[in-house]
Amino acid sequence: MLRRLPFVLAAALGGCAPALLDPAGPVAAGEKTLLINSLAVMLGIVIPVIVLTLAFAFWFRSSNGRAKHRPNFSYSGKLELLVWSVPLLVIIFLGGMGWIASHELDPRRPLAATRKPITIQVVALDWKWLFIYPEQGIATVNRVVVPAGTPVDFRITSATVMNSFFVPRLGSQIYAMAGMEAKLNLMADRPGRFHGLSAHYSGEGFSDMDFTVDAVPAQQFAGWAAKMRGQGPALTAASYHALARQKGNVAPFAYGSVPRGFFAAAVKEAGAPVHETDNGGRES
């Protein structure tokens, strides 16, 4: 059993590393740096406390005649200052790092890049994701394609209960709420395929509410958008309501056209695309 322990630990760490410790964008990289720095600051007090606890226990053991026992000791100003100053410094360091990072990694803050950002509008449905490309005039379901090295301005809402949009390797989860528009700026700094998910429980299909993020070179993205335009069904009010009614896993597909202002209408509809009660007794 002990011989298997290193392999078990390696497998556990390997499952975490691709998502949180292997960032593929500047936001996730900043969050990784904040995580590691915060851990280092906290270990700076945790490790010495553990070591000193073991050292004191060993030194003041009953068999050590050289240790001075002071049963009447009650107070020391210098010791009190030392005991309280160390955690105070830790709180100052952690608070300072958190304050700086909260501004640098603000989801609404535009990312510095040489390329013009693109806008992707996101609608959380039961239990699927709809991605609208207003500039390209297309939409996709459960798959989003982005140009690598280009900032993406996500505009996020929900057509049902509250949900959470999260791509771990790109960083920063943010809530999707009916009748509201959340903004999230992300960027993939290299081509690749990344896993996206819902990070907030929203019902019976929550565990399957995943999507794929494909970051491709800018020219390939332009070619993909041009190819998708005009192909496949059109995203209309009728097809949107039909999509909202679908149960279970929905395979990724694309809409070849999207009317202008569709996302604004979805936000204004405030989470009521389907006027019926589902099997769970929830009227949406």
Side-chain angles (χ1 to χ4, degrees):
M1 181 65 184
L2 292 178
R3 288 183 296 181
R4 296 181 182 179
L5 183 59
F7 299 99
V8 174
L9 294 176
L13 293 175
C16 297
L20 300 178
L21 300 180
D22 185 20
V27 176
E31 293 173 346
K32 175 186 175 181
T33 300
L34 175 63
L35 177 65
I36 293 176
N37 290 343
S38 300
L39 178 62
V41 171
M42 290 185 287
L43 288 178
I45 185 173
V46 171
I47 293 178
V49 167
I50 294 175
V51 172
L52 289 175
T53 299
L54 297 175
F56 289 165
F58 175 78
W59 180 254
F60 290 102
R61 67 191 187 278
S62 60
S63 60
N64 186 11
R66 294 180 297 171
K68 296 181 180 180
H69 297 272
R70 299 177 181 178
N72 297 324
F73 173 84
S74 61
Y75 179 78
S76 171
K78 294 181 180 179
L79 183 60
E80 195 80 9
L81 178 62
L82 176 63
V83 168
W84 286 104
S85 61
V86 174
L88 180 60
L89 289 174
V90 172
I91 293 174
I92 293 174
F93 287 146
L94 291 177
M97 290 189 300
W99 188 87
I100 294 173
S102 65
H103 288 79
E104 291 182 346
L105 302 175
D106 184 352
R108 300 173 63 93
R109 182 178 181 178
L111 300 177
T114 57
R115 296 176 180 174
K116 178 183 177 182
I118 68 167
T119 299
I120 299 180
Q121 299 161 339
V122 184
V123 182
L125 298 165
D126 287 342
W127 284 270
K128 61 197 79 71
W129 295 94
L130 172 65
F131 301 96
I132 302 171
Y133 296 75
E135 299 165 356
Q136 289 74 24
I138 59 176
T140 58
V141 175
N142 286 343
R143 179 178 182 241
V144 56
V145 181
V146 301
T150 301
V152 181
D153 179 16
F154 287 102
R155 308 293 178 92
I156 303 168
T157 190
S158 175
T160 174
V161 297
M162 184 171 69
N163 226 298
S164 180
F165 178 87
F166 189 28
V167 185
R169 293 189 64 189
L170 299 185
S172 289
Q173 70 88 20
I174 195 165
Y175 284 101
M177 292 173 281
M180 300 180 64
E181 177 185 327
K183 297 182 180 181
L184 176 63
N185 289 278
L186 297 176
M187 182 172 68
D189 53 18
R190 60 182 182 272
R193 170 164 287 188
F194 313 112
H195 178 235
L197 67 150
S198 167
H200 184 85
Y201 180 74
S202 57
E204 61 182 349
F206 157 78
S207 59
D208 297 321
M209 195 172 175
D210 299 336
F211 60 93
T212 300
V213 180
D214 286 324
V216 299
Q219 293 182 348
Q220 184 176 342
F221 171 78
W224 171 83
K227 181 180 179 181
M228 292 296 102
R229 192 179 302 115
Q231 294 188 6
L235 181 59
T236 62
S239 61
Y240 175 71
H241 285 71
L243 175 65
R245 292 189 184 96
Q246 290 188 41
K247 302 294 184 180
N249 294 333
V250 177
F253 68 95
Y255 292 99
S257 64
V258 180
R260 291 185 178 181
F262 192 94
F263 179 76
V267 175
K268 186 177 180 181
E269 200 169 355
V274 183
H275 305 288
E276 65 181 13
T277 302
D278 60 19
N279 293 332
R282 179 159 58 93
E283 186 173 341
S284 57

